[in-house]
Amino acid sequence: MSEQNCLVANDWVCGEYLRTRSQELVDATVQHVGITVSSVAIGVLIAFPLALLARRKRAFAGPVLGLTTVFYSIPSLAMFSLLLPLFGLSISLVVTGLVLYSLTILVRNILAGLQSVPEEAREAARGMGYGPVRLLWEVELPLALPALLAGVRIATVSTVALTTVGAIVDYGGLGTLILDGLDSDFKAQVLTASVLCVVLAILADLLLLGVQRRLTPWTRVAAAKPSRRSRVRADATPAEPEKVA
């Protein structure tokens, strides 16, 4: 009886809300995940060639990085308003805005990863007869994966948060529930949708971290080696003799 009364009392925590609105929560969560995944995936597809262009021709590096930074500096409401004449009130409007926001993080991280590839590795691959395309896919890209995946993690968590702004055009996933709850002072809906957003961001980051560790096992080995060497050196270092007064 008390659980049923929590809706009437408009409590922040209400089990009856979860029971009666479960399908609404599931639908909003699925939309939130779909918008996030689509935005980040499209962002990677656009950011990768831009990073290659900036790396190959330095004259383009400044304009590419500058333009993506400008996109990120535009407030979300202004961004959606600028895109409104092109896409109307649709999910494409939200996805396009989120893609533009993700480019700043993705382009910089992909470019940083490609630039961090040792020149010795490139020279060795060329000496073995690797052409530019094979060199990129089999040598440079694998070595750039840690930075690339780190950028994807940051962009994904950021996109989970920014997706909620899509509520202004009714395509904000859990953000739509948050906005509706704020308008109607529905506390249980606001709190539940907000908690789910946080959980989505944490789960997405943990999932991508697991993928990163799985695809780049050498980074764990490299991180472990210095600590082992330092312990060996510490054990081998003779103790400093005591000074005689």
Side-chain angles (χ1 to χ4, degrees):
M1 186 68 178
S2 59
E3 286 188 356
Q4 295 178 354
N5 289 335
C6 68
L7 285 174
V8 179
N10 196 24
D11 294 332
W12 285 103
V13 179
C14 183
E16 184 65 13
Y17 169 76
L18 295 176
R19 189 185 70 81
T20 58
R21 305 291 184 89
S22 59
Q23 188 58 51
E24 185 179 31
L25 289 169
V26 169
D27 292 342
T29 302
V30 170
Q31 184 185 76
H32 205 110
V33 172
I35 292 174
T36 300
V37 172
S38 300
S39 301
V40 174
I42 296 172
V44 171
L45 293 176
I46 297 175
F48 188 71
L50 288 178
L52 288 178
L53 179 64
R55 195 272 305 257
R56 194 171 298 275
K57 297 184 179 181
R58 293 185 178 181
F60 289 100
V64 168
L65 295 176
L67 182 61
T68 55
T69 301
V70 168
F71 286 149
Y72 199 79
S73 66
I74 300 175
S76 53
L77 292 178
M79 175 71 80
F80 289 159
S81 297
L82 292 172
L83 295 173
L84 186 60
L86 297 175
F87 299 98
L89 297 175
S90 66
I91 195 169
S92 299
L93 169 67
V94 179
V95 171
T96 303
L98 295 177
V99 168
L100 294 177
Y101 282 132
S102 70
L103 290 180
T104 301
I105 301 169
L106 293 173
V107 170
R108 290 179 180 274
N109 277 71
I110 295 173
L111 182 59
L114 292 173
Q115 291 176 338
S116 68
V117 177
E119 188 60 32
E120 296 82 359
R122 294 193 181 95
E123 292 298 330
R126 293 190 186 101
M128 296 173 62
Y130 282 45
V133 176
R134 190 181 178 191
L135 173 65
L136 173 64
W137 289 105
E138 297 187 17
V139 177
E140 293 180 319
L141 188 57
L143 293 177
L145 268 181
L148 189 156
L149 292 176
V152 172
R153 286 176 58 196
I154 298 171
T156 300
V157 173
S158 176
T159 303
V160 170
L162 288 172
T163 297
T164 57
V165 183
I168 60 175
V169 293
D170 202 27
Y171 289 101
L174 293 167
T176 302
L177 295 183
I178 295 174
L179 184 61
D180 291 344
L182 290 172
D183 289 340
S184 59
D185 193 29
F186 195 171
K187 296 178 180 178
Q189 180 165 301
V190 173
L191 180 62
T192 303
S194 299
V195 169
L196 284 175
C197 278
V198 175
V199 171
L200 277 181
I202 295 174
L203 290 178
D205 189 53
L206 291 176
L207 176 62
L208 290 172
L209 177 60
V211 172
Q212 179 177 344
R213 290 173 65 85
R214 186 70 178 269
L215 294 179
T216 58
W218 64 87
T219 58
R220 301 197 299 276
V221 175
K225 283 183 178 179
S227 61
R228 292 175 184 172
R229 290 176 181 173
S230 62
R231 287 198 298 269
V232 172
R233 289 176 182 173
D235 294 339
T237 302
E240 182 180 352
E242 294 182 1
K243 293 183 180 179
V244 179

